Amino acid sequence: SQQGEEDPQALSIQEGENATMNCSYKTSINNLQWYRQNSGRGLVHLILIRSNEREKHSGRLRVTLDTSKKSSSLLITASRAADTASYFCATDAQSGGYQKVTFGTGTKLQVIP
Amino acid sequence: NAGVMQNPRHLVRRRGQEARLRCSPMKGHSHVYWYRQLPEEGLKFMVYLQKENIIDESGMPKERFSAEFPKEGPSILRIQQVVRGDSAAYFCASSSQGPEAFFGQGTRLTVV
């Protein structure tokens, strides 16, 4: 598996439900970020969690990080139709003397009104 | 402060032509990343540049692809002699010293 691999690949839920997406990675990281991409658009930064943090909140988003398991989860509470998008995790780590950001393949979320 | 600007948004090229994709990073950002995204897939790292330097081009094909980030002006991703397999969305991201990257809206290249 590649650095930054999300699961599930696709998720379909009803509006109002919670959506949970997971990300696993292989090497040690400095930070982990989650991005959203609406169809045909660029990526929008959602939240960053540092390697020494375990949980972070931002509005309806909750991110957890377990460095021992090399995994992170993104929880979107009380989902809305507008949350329909692809969600990517991105890890940055030292690579050859600089910070390299690597993206996963994404989870495609569909929120049904 | 404008965001990351990419142009053109859409580019159609015939096989064998050259494609030039431009990316103007956010003001004050000196780090630029280029990514390629095929339909229904994630982002694939291509190249990381700082002003006038290529730091990591491990994700970029050795032939036909090149990138630059001159002291003045935008970063350019250049694809020579395009083939159908080059059709994809190409995203540019910029950052300053921190890890957070800001993305442009992408250039959608179609090779016919």
Side-chain angles (χ1 to χ4, degrees):
Chain A
S1 64
Q2 58 182 323
Q3 181 83 339
E5 193 166 291
E6 293 90 340
D7 93 274
Q9 286 190 315
L11 180 61
S12 185
I13 59 173
Q14 293 290 139
E15 199 166 32
E17 292 180 338
N18 296 341
T20 300
M21 290 159 268
N22 303 297
C23 168
S24 59
Y25 56 92
K26 294 198 291 186
T27 63
S28 296
I29 62 170
N30 295 317
N31 307 283
L32 187 143
Q33 304 173 71
W34 284 91
Y35 287 81
R36 183 181 74 196
Q37 183 183 34
N38 289 84
S39 182
R41 308 296 296 273
L43 277 74
V44 174
H45 182 264
L46 294 176
I47 195 165
L48 178 151
I49 186 165
R50 301 190 188 282
S51 59
N52 60 356
E53 297 177 308
R54 292 296 166 257
E55 189 171 310
K56 204 160 182 180
H57 297 254
S58 176
R60 293 183 297 112
L61 305 179
R62 174 177 162 245
V63 169
T64 62
L65 178 65
D66 187 336
T67 52
S68 65
K69 294 181 180 175
K70 292 187 167 56
S71 68
S72 172
S73 68
L74 171 67
L75 168 68
I76 304 175
T77 59
S79 64
R80 304 167 182 168
D83 295 329
T84 295
S86 290
Y87 291 82
F88 296 89
C89 71
T91 55
D92 73 273
Q94 284 292 121
S95 174
Y98 71 93
Q99 296 286 100
K100 182 172 177 177
V101 179
T102 309
F103 284 82
T105 51
T107 292
K108 190 173 263 189
L109 173 66
Q110 182 186 27
V111 181
I112 302 166
Chain B
N1 185 11
V4 178
M5 305 298 292
Q6 286 188 251
N7 67 81
R9 290 292 308 276
H10 299 273
L11 181 61
V12 179
R13 283 286 178 265
R14 294 189 185 280
R15 278 180 297 171
Q17 290 185 319
E18 178 180 286
R20 276 184 178 239
L21 289 63
R22 293 175 195 79
C23 169
S24 296
M26 285 182 71
K27 188 176 180 181
H29 286 189
S30 59
H31 304 245
V32 166
Y33 298 81
W34 283 94
Y35 295 88
R36 178 164 64 178
Q37 185 178 37
L38 295 170
E40 306 300 316
E41 292 191 14
L43 291 161
K44 294 284 174 62
F45 168 79
M46 296 184 75
V47 62
Y48 164 49
L49 310 104
Q50 293 182 14
K51 282 284 186 183
E52 299 183 275
N53 287 307
I54 296 175
I55 306 301
D56 181 347
E57 55 183 348
S58 60
M60 201 156 66
K62 294 284 186 286
E63 296 177 358
R64 303 189 298 108
F65 284 72
S66 63
E68 62 177 18
F69 188 17
K71 189 176 179 182
E72 302 290 338
S75 175
I76 306 283
L77 179 67
R78 184 178 171 211
I79 311 172
Q80 295 178 292
Q81 299 172 348
V82 295
V83 300
R84 287 235 170 92
D86 297 332
S87 295
Y90 292 83
F91 289 95
C92 164
S94 75
S95 68
S96 57
Q97 297 297 328
E100 184 178 342
F102 294 83
F103 279 80
Q105 293 298 307
T107 293
R108 274 145 194 86
L109 172 65
T110 302
V111 180
V112 297

